[in-house]
Amino acid sequence: MKNSKVKINYIKNLANDWYKLDKVNFDYKTQKGEWQTQNRECYDRGDGAAILLYNSTKNTVILTKQFRMPTYLNENSDGMMIEVCAGLLDEDDPLTCIKKEAEEETGYQINNPTKLFEIYSTPGAVTEKIHYFIAEYSDEMKLGNGGGLASEHEEIEVLELNFNKAIHMISSGEIKDAKTVILLQYAQLNKLCK
């Protein structure tokens, strides 16, 4: 950490169950040169990777559908979310992670994903940085059913959708996941599908 305007006084762990929640007390030097003491809660769940699988010939994308408790608690009536394939890095590098997640969640073995960028999705509260990828898929790459790992309590439905329908699902409110919107709009802007 190299910002001379920030001095961390202490970090107090508040929870360390599923992931880690810390309270950080720090001094911050304002533009006027004054030091302010501030407190922030930071949720650390590790970094992740996400991928949009697309087929330019069939004009389709592979998305997943699964239950997400935090959305259920915040007005998502059934808690189900349509998303791109994604997962936490755990001990893997982003490329290894996303290839493994693609096969576990969708059943497709992807060999050459292209990394696009890295994004902090919720920088005011969550430390997570997501590595974004795309990869073209074909029917021949389908090795299994996908659906996630039972050991991780995953129950994932694999969806192959027309690209234009997926884009429409953003404005209709059927797709509300930020990483999915980002990757679908990237595909649209770069004309990966028609």
Side-chain angles (χ1 to χ4, degrees), residues 72-84:
Y72 187 64
L73 296 175
N74 191 19
E75 300 183 6
N76 184 7
S77 62
D78 64 1
M80 301 303 287
M81 293 290 289
I82 297 174
E83 308 174 28
V84 291

Side-chain angles (χ1 to χ4, degrees), residues 59-126:
N59 198 44
T60 54
V61 292
I62 299 293
L63 299 177
T64 64
K65 185 175 183 179
Q66 62 184 305
F67 179 77
R68 297 295 198 182
M69 177 54 80
T71 72
Y72 187 64
L73 296 175
N74 191 19
E75 300 183 6
N76 184 7
S77 62
D78 64 1
M80 301 303 287
M81 293 290 289
I82 297 174
E83 308 174 28
V84 291
C85 171
L88 292 177
L89 300 186
D90 296 323
E91 300 298 319
D92 292 328
D93 63 90
L95 182 62
T96 302
C97 169
I98 205 57
K99 289 166 69 174
K100 183 169 61 174
E101 289 293 332
E103 190 167 341
E104 288 174 4
E105 290 190 6
T106 70
Y108 287 90
Q109 185 177 55
I110 306 302
N111 297 318
N112 298 306
T114 300
K115 184 172 179 183
L116 304 175
F117 37 71
E118 302 169 9
I119 295 176
Y120 292 96
S121 300
T122 313
V126 181

Side-chain angles (χ1 to χ4, degrees), residues 101 103-106 145-152 154-156 158:
E101 289 293 332
E103 190 167 341
E104 288 174 4
E105 290 190 6
T106 70
N145 294 329
L149 297 177
S151 62
E152 295 181 5
E154 293 179 318
E155 190 174 273
I156 299 170
V158 181

Side-chain angles (χ1 to χ4, degrees), residues 128-140:
E128 180 183 49
K129 176 175 49 180
I130 299 178
H131 302 262
Y132 286 78
F133 292 86
I134 54 169
E136 191 147 14
Y137 76 92
S138 65
D139 294 339
E140 295 76 31

